Amino acid sequence: MLQLRDSNGPATVIRRADYSAPAFWIDSVHLSFDLDPAKTRVLNKMTLRRNPDVPVQPLRLDGETLNLARVLVNGQGASFKLESGKLVLENLPLEGAFALEIFTTCEPLKNTSLSGLYVSNDSFFTQCEAEGFRRITYFLDRPDVMASYTVTLRADKQKYPVLLSNGNLVASGALEGTGNEGRHFATWVDPHKKPCYLFALVAGQLVCREQRIASRAGKAHLLQVYVRPGDMDKTEHAMNSLIHSVIWDEARFGLPLDLERFMIVATSDFNMGAMENKGLNIFNTKYVLANQSTATDADFSNIESVVGHEYFHNWTGNRITCRDWFQLSLKEGLTVFRDQEFSMDLCLEASARAVKRIEDVRVLRTAQFPEDAGPMAHPVRPDSYIEINNFYTVTIYEKGAEVVRMMQTLVGSLNDPTGRAGFAKGMTLYFARHDGSAVTCDDFAQAIADANPDSALSRLLPRFKRWYSQAGTPRLHAKGSYDAAAQTYTLHLNQTCAATPGQEAKEPFVIPVSLGLVSRSGADLPLQLRDGSASTSASHLLVVTQAEESITFINVAEEPVPSILRGFSAPVLLDFDYSDAQLMTLLAFDPDPFNRWEAGQRLALRCATALIAGEAILTGARPLNDDYVEAMRAVLRHPALDAAFKELVLTLPSETYIAEQLDVVDPQRIHAVREAMRAQLASALATDWQWAFEAHADNGAYRPDSLSAGRRALAGLALTQLCLAAQSSGDPSTGSGQAGVWPGKAYQRFKDADNMTDRLHALSALVNSGHELAKPALAQFHSLFKNEELVLDKWFALQAGSCDRGGQVLPAVRQLLKHPDFNLRNPNRARSVIFSYCSANPGAFHRLDAAGYVFWSERVLELDSINPQVAARLARALDRWSKLAEPYRSSARQAIERVADKANLSNDVREVVSRALAD
Ligand code: PHE
Ligand code: ZN
């Protein structure tokens, strides 16, 4: 038998421009697995034929980490070569279909990369996207080769009672004959053709929650959620989310479930969130398992959107898939847009929709904007990559979703101001044209535009598509001028976009800018344009297409405050020289909740940057001015705003977000200033926080709905602030006066809470205020939940992400790595400690002594030999090193060089660190 190892040659750059159609098509695949953790045998029988559109050439099949035993062509032994991992067959029949049979083995137990076939908790799972199928058998591992699959699984019945694959179960039973004692089999047929990245199998000891539903057309479907025995009491929410998803896609887009059986299976060992394998979604347990005592409100809401996301892929991704991996955003951007809309549509109150939008934008701006400004910046449709796994990014996902959202906006019309109806028409045309095929981002945009021939999108399509080809976040500079005599208000706009790797100059983007003019008293002013047109709604949609343009409103009775980019109508940076008073007006009154929130963020940011930039000593600093503090009090006490919105407004911009606004980043100074701001808000609003806590602490029987979740969020923030005030107001053990009671109250709440959200908020309030009660609380938390993996992840993450006071976090993190419950091989656990520290705790990570960076480089190298995908994600924690002030900058660079100097790095980590060093 021939042993093949990963080829260790120089990494090759894959370019979009080099795309060529496959030389062969694979019509059908019959796979048989003899599942054994140490050595699984895989028989792959395919029917192939040449692609007549491509010159005659050998067949080159992808393969990795496979042991090859046999190759037969039309039942006969055939000659073959192995060339840099590929199985090459020459002299294949020129005409018609032929049979190719390949027999290989693989070693699931040794597979720590979690790509291909692997073992987790004694069960078998697969992960094939993007290029994991080649670790299971030799194949044309590319998404434009779509085949019909029949899969037979054979395994020990006692160890692996459940045998699952895509599609329908057509046969199962005991295996006969010697050597088959105690073994059984199951055969699955997928009625839909699919690319191999959507193949999946699962085998193990699993139990399932089932639900039968009927579609609008009366078709019956079986929905199943498979988990480990013992986790059944955490499956109700995932099942409900799945049912909601099925109903929503049919109602909003007319897309029904096309399968008799739809299964979700949870595994603890998973690199990503979840995977949309046809009819057999495989999920990270984090996005399936929830009940009130183990999961927070955030977990419940993430489960809803990830279940939705994977389900929506069934049409956007699976029925229509990507021609090549450069088109990844075709399915991911669109599907994120769909899951965002799903979550918003499930909100009962309009205010909850706005809260969801703010949360989504916050992710975009704190994660994607930095990516777009850093060494890994790439267009939504990249031009090249070394390792495709590095391109499952916030740009492809979140910015891609914004691009789709702008398309919806740009197909809007008088009768359809949001563009929802026009966009749904576009989706219908997209499916009419491309169902069952592998297509490009261009095909998608064309379909949306063609279905709306009179729309701005259709008119501007070639220019609009620059959003797909140009990386970088456009910056929109706006200036306003009011002419009191003429009663006109003119807004001048110009756009720029900084250079990104490989793209020096940029063409102007098409930027839909939703605008309103707010009066001094806070009302939307009527909007009239020179050409006589008047907006029927309070907002006007200005579609910016040029580098510079302006718009003039007439009959403007008073100098307005412009509310620009309402609802964050485009993924751009907006510069407008607001006065504090103008921002106060928007914060108090803007009818657009997004810009209302944004005004508060801008005010806070202003106080922060002023102090960061200066030389002032920070001990005891009070960065916030009185007006800001009073405005925050007014929001907190506001009789009409809901709690979730208040919590967002009262939460200061994150350290990461603040850092992005600065040219030179001193992470310690940012941390100190933000902490001073938090402390100031805590003490200045002490009685208001107390009121807020008391008014929102009791929420009756737990339900994860947005209204009560918002109340818990606000109560949690209040408690955190109250504990902070207690700590900063004197004796650390008791605090002084009234304030001193709060840590004790938090501890009591920690013990009494009937749900994980309240319990974790209370614990976090103690840990992050540095109170000594944190210690016993952490110990109790651990002993209460020592058998709940996902809760232990929270326990680790809370400590690794906690507020640094004099450098105590890093030694604590090093200690956590030695904890018996720590396991570097489990991605969730690795993330809970290492990523929480390196990527989510800048104040603790960026140390003057560089010890955080040393820790980072050690962990990147250690992880790389286990799981390159996870290692490469961690490697990105230092993406923004070149913006750092000295001495951080030099020591960060040295740490990256240490990683880059290592021989035998994975392509994954190699690509990330070499791009970082080129910055
Ligand atoms: N396609 C998955 C999703 O977006 C993500 C994923 C990618 C999962 C690669 C595993 C591996 O839902
Ligand atoms: Zn996806």
Side-chain angles (χ1 to χ4, degrees):
M1 206 177 269
L2 204 59
Q3 267 296 155
L4 293 179
R5 291 273 160 246
D6 283 322
S7 60
N8 245 327
T12 16
V13 178
I14 320 281
R15 290 175 207 286
R16 182 166 60 88
D18 293 344
Y19 173 83
S20 61
F24 291 80
W25 298 113
I26 302 177
D27 293 319
S28 67
V29 188
H30 281 71
L31 291 171
S32 314
F33 290 84
D34 279 297
L35 293 167
D36 181 320
K39 183 177 173 188
T40 286
R41 304 190 302 162
V42 183
L43 179 62
N44 170 8
K45 293 182 171 190
M46 297 176 270
T47 321
L48 296 92
R49 64 198 151 84
R50 289 181 187 272
N51 178 354
D53 303 337
V54 170
V56 171
Q57 54 190 279
L59 172 64
R60 299 171 180 280
L61 298 174
D62 305 293
E64 258 177 35
T65 63
L66 296 170
N67 307 302
L68 178 60
R70 186 171 78 225
V71 180
L72 302 177
V73 175
N74 285 330
Q76 306 288 306
S79 66
F80 60 85
K81 288 188 289 191
L82 285 162
E83 279 177 15
S84 50
K86 290 195 185 211
L87 175 62
V88 182
L89 288 144
E90 287 170 33
N91 311 320
L92 292 166
L94 286 173
E95 295 295 327
F98 61 92
L100 176 59
E101 190 176 318
I102 299 172
F103 185 60
T104 52
T105 64
C106 58
E107 299 168 316
L109 207 50
K110 288 196 185 156
N111 181 357
T112 56
S113 69
L114 311 184
S115 160
L117 178 65
Y118 64 93
V119 175
S120 160
N121 285 306
D122 299 321
S123 293
F124 289 94
F125 295 91
T126 54
Q127 173 52 46
C128 294
E129 189 178 5
E131 297 178 335
F133 194 71
R134 64 184 64 183
R135 301 164 67 92
I136 296 175
T137 185
Y138 283 99
F139 208 73
L140 291 175
D141 190 357
R142 44 187 292 167
D144 55 353
V145 171
M146 297 172 87
S148 301
Y149 284 72
T150 302
V151 178
T152 296
L153 307 177
R154 290 189 283 262
D156 185 275
K157 181 162 184 174
Q158 216 156 28
K159 288 190 194 139
Y160 310 103
V162 173
L163 303 174
L164 307 175
S165 191
N166 317 82
N168 296 314
L169 181 64
V170 296
S172 63
L175 281 169
E176 319 262 293
T178 42
N180 276 327
E181 296 79 12
R183 291 171 67 79
H184 71 149
F185 81 99
T187 300
W188 294 80
V189 175
D190 190 338
H192 300 275
K193 287 198 156 211
K194 63 170 177 289
C196 65
Y197 81 87
L198 293 173
F199 164 82
L201 77 78
V202 172
Q205 280 182 13
L206 300 163
V207 291
C208 84
R209 173 187 287 267
E210 287 195 349
Q211 178 91 38
R212 283 173 202 281
I213 59 162
S215 71
R216 286 191 170 179
K219 275 217 168 125
H221 307 278
L222 174 62
L223 308 180
Q224 295 179 313
V225 178
Y226 285 87
V227 296
R228 289 216 300 267
D231 282 336
M232 274 294 261
D233 63 335
K234 304 192 190 80
T235 54
E236 185 185 353
H237 181 65
M239 178 60 86
N240 286 340
S241 302
L242 180 57
I243 294 168
H244 286 137
S245 306
V246 177
I247 295 170
W248 181 85
D249 217 9
E250 207 166 351
R252 173 116 177 226
F253 290 111
L255 299 173
L257 177 53
D258 62 359
L259 291 158
E260 285 162 43
R261 181 170 178 146
F262 189 93
M263 299 171 277
I264 287 178
V265 189
T267 172
S268 320
D269 295 288
F270 204 73
N271 286 343
M272 309 277 273
M275 180 62 211
E276 69 265 25
N277 317 302
K278 187 80 186 185
L280 181 57
N281 288 185
I282 296 180
F283 272 60
N284 187 324
T285 44
K286 182 174 164 59
Y287 297 108
V288 176
L289 303 178
N291 64 34
Q292 73 182 68
S293 50
T294 60
T296 61
D297 293 328
D299 294 324
F300 276 90
S301 114
N302 290 336
I303 288 168
E304 181 180 275
S305 60
V306 177
V307 168
H309 181 97
E310 306 312 330
Y311 176 77
F312 304 141
H313 268 317
N314 192 46
W315 282 93
T316 51
N318 300 5
R319 288 288 289 246
I320 302 184
T321 193
C322 304
R323 187 193 72 171
D324 54 71
W325 291 121
F326 297 102
Q327 318 297 328
L328 182 56
S329 198
L330 171 79
K331 73 177 177 82
E332 296 305 346
L334 176 54
T335 305
V336 170
F337 169 76
R338 275 152 56 68
D339 83 53
Q340 291 176 345
E341 290 290 291
F342 165 64
S343 296
M344 284 201 265
D345 286 351
L346 286 191
C347 294
L348 296 176
E349 316 82 20
S351 57
R353 286 182 71 93
V355 163
K356 164 74 178 153
R357 180 67 184 144
I358 293 168
E359 289 167 346
D360 290 342
V361 173
R362 208 161 53 171
V363 171
L364 185 82
R365 295 205 301 202
T366 49
Q368 198 278 326
F369 281 20
E371 179 167 275
D372 234 350
M376 282 292 289
H378 54 277
V380 168
R381 182 191 53 215
D383 293 314
S384 70
Y385 59 76
I386 289 175
E387 173 52 64
I388 183 57
N389 288 322
N390 285 332
F391 287 79
Y392 286 78
T393 59
V394 274
T395 298
I396 303 295
Y397 277 69
E398 267 68 29
K399 186 178 182 179
E402 293 301 316
V403 172
V404 174
R405 184 172 297 284
M406 287 189 286
M407 287 193 216
Q408 169 165 280
T409 305
L410 292 171
V411 297
S413 62
L414 230 60
N415 305 324
D416 174 27
T418 59
R420 263 176 174 245
F423 186 77
K425 256 185 17 195
M427 288 283 280
T428 303
L429 184 59
Y430 175 58
F431 286 106
R433 282 185 183 170
H434 303 297
D435 190 12
S437 49
V439 307
T440 63
C441 297
D442 285 326
D443 295 322
F444 174 74
Q446 195 66 51
I448 303 298
D450 288 352
N452 297 277
D454 300 325
S455 65
L457 181 67
S458 174
R459 211 166 53 244
L460 300 167
L461 190 61
R463 276 181 281 170
F464 179 82
K465 289 200 303 193
R466 289 172 188 160
W467 283 108
Y468 282 109
S469 57
Q470 299 189 142
T473 308
R475 193 174 269 280
L476 195 59
H477 313 261
K479 272 200 178 71
S481 56
Y482 180 62
D483 184 335
Q487 302 232 312
T488 60
Y489 184 78
T490 301
L491 208 53
H492 304 272
L493 298 144
N494 74 74
Q495 57 165 309
T496 55
C497 180
T500 49
Q503 293 185 333
E504 277 307 309
K506 314 279 167 109
E507 302 287 335
F509 289 84
V510 173
I511 305 177
V513 182
S514 172
L515 286 172
L517 298 180
V518 177
S519 75
R520 239 166 300 139
S521 62
D524 265 326
L525 293 166
L527 301 176
Q528 276 178 270
L529 295 177
R530 277 239 172 81
D531 64 9
S533 67
S535 279
T536 44
S537 61
S539 300
H540 173 78
L541 188 72
L542 169 65
V543 182
V544 174
T545 61
Q546 310 294 319
E548 274 200 66
E549 45 189 274
S550 61
I551 181 170
T552 299
F553 296 97
I554 58 170
N555 299 325
V556 183
E558 59 171 286
E559 173 157 18
V561 184
S563 171
I564 311 171
L565 214 65
R566 283 186 157 173
F568 203 67
S569 57
V572 301
L573 296 151
L574 171 67
D575 287 339
F576 185 90
D577 195 11
Y578 285 112
S579 67
D580 282 4
Q582 286 179 313
L583 288 174
M584 287 294 176
T585 302
L586 295 178
L587 172 59
F589 304 116
D590 196 327
D592 180 67
F594 179 86
N595 273 357
R596 192 168 181 182
W597 167 78
E598 174 73 341
Q601 296 290 295
R602 280 177 189 267
L603 284 163
L605 197 60
R606 227 170 242 197
C607 300
T609 48
L611 191 57
I612 291 164
E615 304 271 289
I617 308 247
L618 298 178
T619 25
R622 301 174 67 79
L624 303 169
N625 58 47
D626 292 347
D627 289 349
Y628 177 80
V629 171
E630 285 320 306
M632 289 300 118
R633 194 193 316 277
V635 170
L636 190 50
R637 294 274 190 170
H638 200 287
L641 293 172
D642 46 65
F645 183 76
K646 292 182 180 183
E647 195 268 343
L648 290 174
V649 175
L650 272 293
T651 299
L652 295 165
S654 66
E655 289 170 29
T656 309
Y657 186 71
I658 297 171
E660 270 317 297
Q661 319 307 311
L662 305 169
D663 295 326
V664 179
V665 173
D666 177 342
Q668 285 305 326
R669 194 161 172 94
I670 295 176
H671 178 64
V673 167
R674 188 173 184 276
E675 282 309 300
M677 290 161 77
R678 286 203 320 134
Q680 190 184 345
L681 270 187
S683 60
L685 301 183
T687 52
D688 310 278
W689 288 123
Q690 187 169 333
W691 164 82
F693 179 75
E694 277 155 9
H696 298 91
D698 294 325
N699 297 294
Y702 179 84
R703 276 198 333 121
D705 63 296
S706 50
L707 217 67
S708 65
R711 291 173 55 84
R712 280 185 290 274
L714 187 58
L717 179 63
L719 193 56
T720 298
Q721 288 284 53
L722 289 160
C723 288
L724 197 63
Q727 281 307 85
S728 43
S729 67
D731 177 358
S733 61
T734 59
S736 67
Q738 260 287 59
V741 305
W742 284 101
K745 286 196 181 184
Y747 189 48
Q748 198 57 45
R749 187 165 171 87
F750 161 77
K751 288 190 285 189
D752 296 346
D754 75 342
N755 65 82
M756 180 51 76
T757 307
D758 288 338
R759 197 189 294 272
L760 201 61
H761 274 146
L763 180 61
S764 152
L766 292 172
V767 170
N768 285 305
S769 61
H771 196 275
E772 60 187 21
L773 284 171
K775 233 178 146 187
L778 280 167
Q780 283 169 46
F781 190 86
H782 184 274
S783 74
L784 268 174
F785 296 107
K786 58 178 175 296
N787 298 319
E788 298 283 353
E789 301 175 336
L790 294 171
V791 184
L792 285 186
D793 289 338
K794 299 180 196 302
W795 182 82
F796 280 107
L798 179 62
Q799 296 174 76
S802 68
C803 183
D804 210 36
R805 295 194 163 71
Q808 88 288 5
V809 176
L810 179 58
V813 165
R814 286 200 179 270
Q815 227 24 64
L816 288 174
L817 294 188
K818 297 191 190 130
H819 194 281
D821 292 326
F822 183 75
N823 170 13
L824 191 64
R825 281 166 200 262
N826 175 258
N828 286 356
R829 192 55 53 83
R831 285 186 279 256
S832 73
V833 181
I834 302 168
F835 288 53
S836 299
Y837 175 68
C838 298
S839 311
N841 196 351
F845 176 57
H846 299 276
R847 295 166 56 112
L848 277 171
D849 65 4
Y853 305 152
V854 171
F855 175 83
W856 167 87
S857 58
E858 291 166 2
R859 300 290 83 70
V860 170
L861 292 175
E862 193 179 8
L863 270 168
D864 198 32
S865 57
I866 299 172
N867 187 328
Q869 284 185 46
V870 176
R873 297 232 167 225
L874 178 62
R876 300 210 40 201
L878 278 178
D879 261 12
R880 302 297 271 143
W881 70 273
S882 68
K883 271 186 84 163
L884 294 170
E886 292 296 354
Y888 307 101
R889 187 175 193 277
S890 297
S891 38
R893 188 180 166 98
Q894 278 167 23
I896 302 170
E897 281 166 348
R898 260 197 314 280
V899 172
D901 283 347
K902 177 86 189 301
N904 292 323
L905 279 184
S906 66
N907 277 346
D908 309 57
V909 170
R910 170 79 53 210
E911 182 173 32
V912 171
V913 293
S914 39
R915 285 181 70 137
L917 291 174
D919 199 21

